[in-house]
Amino acid sequence: MRIVFVIGTSTGGVGTHVRALARELTAAGHEIGVIGPAATDEHFGFSLLPGVRFGVLELGTGIGASDAALIRRQRILLRSFAPQIVHAHGFRAGLITHLTLRTVKTRPKFVLSLHNRASGQGLRGKVETRVETMLARGADLVLGASTDLVDRARGLGARTARFLPAAAPEVTPVSAEAAAATRATLAEEFDFDPGALIVLAVGRVAKQKNYPMLVRGLVRLGDDLPDKATNPPGSASPARLGEGNRQDDIVVLIAGAADEEVLADVRARYADAAAASAIPALHFLGPRDDIAELAAAADIYALTSVWEARALVLQEALISGKAIVATATGGSAELVGDAGILIDDDDDAAFAAAVAELAVDPARRAALGAEARARGAKLPDEREVAEELAGLYTELVSAQVG
């Protein structure tokens, strides 16, 4: 089959997903093209994949007068690719693709993948719902990365909507020695005890990740901890956290690129909280290429997002066998299941309680880690997801021929 993927600006899970699909489907003998911004290609290297053709389409994030030029440009690109299937990922790519396909004489099958939910309020929310409805009804097939997205598409009138997961990433096994070395390096760099309990969060510092809730949770943890000066090591204490029952027994690390405005806000919130009372340490690591090592060195993996479809980082945590504390939003609950502690969105008290429970109970952490590893071993990999998608494409093309 001749298949074209359309993708907007991406630096995270969506681009990773599309790259894996392009690679696996090309290897299976299909002709693959990818249309999207040059920066997205630079980040993911679509044009470097053997057999994959890339066409530049500078999809911005907002609707405007320039969309007419984008439609003309995409029509030219599609004519050169002559696809049987056009598969757009996300609202922006979906909208431009839908409008473009309305202008072509011979229309290929249109598949839309939803990776995020619309979150606009007021007038913006109404506009987003109208766009969602148009896309859901205009696509031949809508795919949701979580079942709530599938239900949403069906409710808006999609003729066919199905669940297709973003594949589990490949996680390189990390030895105990390497994990210990990473922990020691982090402890030296950020000046904390190598024996501290490490809570790791991975993901772009952006509003969706809701790190202000994490900061509020740290304040609650700090309230439960006696001050180091009044509770010297080895003394008896009723506190619940850490081997030494002090604030410095827990350290939180956040790895990922950042929206600078959001990062500044989170830093300021933390600084104000730390000035008012003693709370666990929080360090921002920035973008990292050693996530597997960081996960292996950590004791708890945390995800505080207001919503996630099927977070790749949660899948990495499962495969790595980490005890997980995550908000039960979108597809996270169905992904994690019993392999972690699930809390309500924006519930800092529940977050603090979950970390507190795991901090003093290594057996519980180990049990959750074992359950996570077992669950992670059952996640579909990139080839399996690509094969499932190819089957759905075949159904569409066969129906068209029939």
Side-chain angles (χ1 to χ4, degrees):
M1 284 179 286
R2 297 184 305 279
I3 304 155
V4 166
F5 295 114
V6 185
I7 183 173
T9 301
S10 176
T11 58
V14 176
T16 300
H17 176 59
V18 175
R19 187 182 192 280
L21 292 176
R23 185 189 65 243
E24 295 297 333
L25 290 172
T26 301
H30 301 285
E31 297 180 37
I32 303 299
V34 179
I35 293 174
T40 302
D41 181 40
E42 182 178 353
H43 188 86
F44 292 102
F46 292 109
S47 57
L48 300 178
L49 293 173
V52 174
R53 296 170 58 197
F54 187 86
V56 176
L57 185 69
E58 295 297 347
L59 291 165
T61 58
I63 300 173
S66 61
D67 285 359
L70 291 175
I71 292 168
R72 290 193 296 271
R73 167 67 176 165
Q74 188 179 38
R75 187 168 58 240
I76 293 170
L77 289 171
L78 291 179
R79 191 178 302 128
S80 70
F81 284 118
Q84 295 165 281
I85 301 280
V86 178
H87 187 163
H89 291 261
F91 292 113
R92 180 60 176 156
L95 175 59
I96 295 300
T97 299
H98 174 68
L99 296 175
T100 299
L101 292 180
R102 291 171 61 177
T103 70
V104 301
K105 292 182 179 179
T106 304
R107 179 184 178 277
K109 289 295 184 178
F110 174 34
V111 179
L112 172 69
S113 275
L114 300 177
H115 297 277
N116 287 288
R117 69 177 184 183
S119 57
Q121 302 294 322
L123 178 59
R124 178 176 176 178
K126 292 180 180 179
V127 172
E128 288 179 347
T129 298
R130 291 186 65 180
V131 172
E132 280 186 285
T133 303
M134 179 177 64
L135 294 179
R137 296 177 180 178
D140 298 292
L141 172 64
V142 178
L143 301 174
S146 56
T147 55
D148 62 323
L149 290 175
V150 176
D151 293 340
R152 171 73 171 171
R154 288 173 178 161
L156 293 174
R159 65 187 83 176
T160 306
R162 299 192 189 182
F163 168 66
L164 184 79
E170 184 175 349
V171 177
T172 304
V174 177
S175 68
E177 293 77 13
T182 298
R183 175 181 281 267
T185 299
L186 290 168
E188 181 177 2
E189 180 178 357
F190 295 104
D191 192 25
F192 62 83
D193 190 317
L197 182 125
I198 297 178
V199 179
L200 175 67
V202 178
R204 182 175 175 81
V205 182
K207 289 183 178 180
Q208 180 183 341
K209 302 303 180 182
N210 199 11
Y211 289 129
M213 187 272 272
L214 184 149
V215 172
R216 298 198 309 270
L218 296 186
V219 173
R220 289 183 178 272
L221 284 169
D223 290 342
D224 288 334
L225 292 169
D227 185 75
K228 179 177 179 179
T230 60
N231 183 56
S235 65
S237 169
R240 297 181 297 159
L241 304 177
E243 295 179 1
N245 297 319
R246 302 192 312 266
Q247 299 93 334
D248 56 351
D249 288 322
I250 296 178
V251 60
V252 180
L253 306 177
I254 296 178
D259 177 310
E260 292 301 325
E261 183 178 347
V262 176
L263 176 60
D265 176 65
V266 177
R267 285 187 185 278
R269 290 171 186 262
Y270 178 79
D272 289 345
S277 61
I279 62 176
L282 172 63
H283 300 289
F284 295 91
L285 308 185
R288 303 282 295 220
D289 57 7
D290 60 345
I291 298 301
E293 288 79 6
L294 292 174
D299 301 289
I300 299 171
Y301 182 87
L303 186 72
T304 56
S305 302
V306 297
W307 188 87
E308 294 281 354
R310 191 177 176 89
L312 293 180
V313 292
L314 266 188
Q315 297 187 63
E316 290 175 340
L318 289 168
I319 296 168
S320 300
K322 292 289 102 177
I324 295 169
V325 176
T327 46
T329 60
S332 295
E334 60 191 327
L335 180 61
V336 174
D338 296 329
I341 298 177
L342 295 166
I343 62 174
D344 289 337
D345 169 37
D346 204 39
D347 191 340
D348 52 275
F351 175 78
V355 173
E357 175 189 343
L358 295 177
V360 297
D361 194 345
R364 171 76 164 144
R365 294 201 305 270
L368 285 177
E371 178 66 25
R373 186 173 285 107
R375 197 172 183 88
K378 299 176 182 178
L379 294 172
D381 62 22
E382 292 171 340
R383 179 169 298 179
E384 291 169 329
V385 171
E387 289 175 350
E388 182 177 354
L389 181 59
L392 295 174
Y393 289 159
T394 300
E395 289 180 19
L396 281 178
V397 173
S398 298
Q400 185 177 39
V401 172

